Amino acid sequence: MTQRIAFQGEPGAYSHQACHAERPQLEALPCPTFEAVIDAVREGRATQAMLPVENTTYGRVADIHRLLPESGLHIIDEAFVRVHINLLGVPGTAIADVKEAWSHLVLLPQCARFLREHGITGRVSTDNARAARDVAEWADPSKAALASELAGEIYGLDVLARHVEDHDTNTTRFLIMSREPDLTRRAEHMMTTFVFRVRNIPAALYKAMGGFATNGVNMTKLESYMVDGSFTATQFYADIEGHPEDPPVQRALEELDYFTSYLKVLGTYPADPARD
């Protein structure tokens, strides 16, 4: 059976690039939505999922925090992937020929300086990889795409300019997920991710967080979001450093459990070296 890793987007998307970088031994499986990515793994058409959870430029990826707790999947790894944006054109095109650059709405402002300097108008596409595919089909030197080098390779486009983003810090954090959890301690620096809801008592969140402070457990992320369309039902997503079997983490989670009505560990996994 072919081992696959599912991602959201068209071939050449940045999630596809992440699959190539982090799981080169697996065949990448494109899916139209995040739900379809999860279904592909649950149904056995893929063994792993590559899901973006946050980006340094535009923050949290919509819907991911809502989908993960009910996905039935487990986080087994994380990956920080630099997003390099490239100007892609049909073979033989020069930058001076380009009048329009097509890409996703999120990517265009990140290249504003480059586009302005070259007198290129940004045009919105539904997806950066789709933009590359369209440019290849149009075969018009005046139209280019802002996308990954992988997209250029897939659709036969030339890289007219590399790394045209205005800032060199644009990074996406991905979670790699599978049907089966891996709870082994397989690195010195481990991370643990969980979601929880606090009990309806005064200062419940403050008390729930106290166990991490008193036990010296570093919480690297805490985010809240509404559940079931209610303004009063709030769920929290958290990342902490450490493994659930570490005594300080164990004590902190036990204290958290006392103040919560719902607590679910989504996975424990090696920290990406980019964290250091």
Side-chain angles (χ1 to χ4, degrees):
M1 178 182 173
T2 302
Q3 301 290 297
R4 297 186 178 93
I5 181 166
F7 69 94
Q8 186 276 326
E10 299 199 22
Y14 285 101
S15 291
H16 189 187
Q17 176 186 304
C19 294
H20 269 229
E22 301 299 325
R23 292 294 190 271
Q25 74 278 18
L26 302 182
E27 178 185 316
L29 175 66
C31 299
T33 64
F34 293 131
E35 289 89 345
V37 171
I38 291 168
D39 288 343
V41 178
R42 285 198 300 208
E43 296 167 4
R45 289 180 284 112
T47 54
Q48 296 181 12
M50 179 72 74
L51 292 170
V53 67
E54 59 192 322
N55 176 272
T56 54
T57 299
Y58 53 87
R60 185 170 75 184
V61 177
D63 292 336
I64 287 295
H65 293 73
R66 176 182 60 82
L67 292 171
L68 294 188
E70 307 304 323
S71 68
L73 305 184
H74 306 270
I75 305 169
I76 59 170
D77 212 345
E78 70 172 354
F80 288 75
V81 177
R82 275 284 287 111
V83 177
H84 287 302
I85 307 173
N86 309 278
L87 184 71
L88 309 176
V90 295
T93 299
I95 295 180
D97 299 329
V98 177
K99 305 304 178 186
E100 298 177 351
W102 293 75
S103 195
H104 190 278
L105 178 63
V106 169
L107 261 62
L108 290 172
Q110 298 177 38
C111 306
R113 184 185 306 127
F114 175 86
L115 296 177
R116 185 171 60 251
E117 289 174 353
H118 292 276
I120 299 172
T121 301
R123 301 295 188 191
V124 176
S125 178
T126 55
D127 180 83
N128 55 80
R130 174 60 184 268
R133 190 180 76 178
D134 287 343
V135 166
E137 292 176 353
W138 292 331
D140 181 348
S142 71
K143 294 180 170 59
L146 294 167
S148 68
E149 286 194 52
L150 178 60
E153 294 173 11
I154 291 173
Y155 300 109
L157 300 176
D158 284 351
V159 178
L160 308 183
R162 282 183 169 83
H163 305 178
V164 301
E165 60 270 21
D166 293 346
H167 304 288
D168 61 1
T169 57
N170 189 358
T171 301
T172 299
R173 179 188 177 216
F174 290 87
L175 298 177
I176 301 173
M177 308 189 72
S178 71
R179 288 188 300 276
E180 301 298 326
D182 185 349
L183 303 179
T184 60
R185 192 191 304 274
R186 49 201 186 277
E188 181 178 351
H189 187 184
M190 295 290 290
M191 301 292 297
T192 298
T193 295
F194 54 90
V195 292
F196 66 95
R197 299 178 196 175
V198 294
R199 293 166 56 194
N200 189 21
I201 58 176
L205 180 60
Y206 173 80
K207 294 173 182 176
M209 294 294 94
F212 296 95
T214 57
N215 286 286
V217 176
N218 186 28
M219 181 170 286
T220 61
K221 178 168 290 295
L222 177 66
E223 294 195 6
S224 64
Y225 56 101
M226 292 186 296
V227 292
D228 300 327
S230 170
F231 285 103
T232 58
T234 301
Q235 188 154 288
F236 295 88
Y237 170 101
D239 295 328
I240 60 171
E241 293 183 347
H243 188 280
E245 293 178 357
D246 295 340
V249 173
Q250 195 171 29
R251 291 192 295 267
L253 288 176
E254 288 173 354
E255 191 164 338
L256 174 66
D257 187 54
Y258 179 79
F259 293 105
T260 58
S261 58
Y262 171 78
L263 172 61
K264 183 175 185 177
V265 174
L266 300 180
T268 183
Y269 48 92
D272 188 282
R275 285 186 173 273
D276 299 329

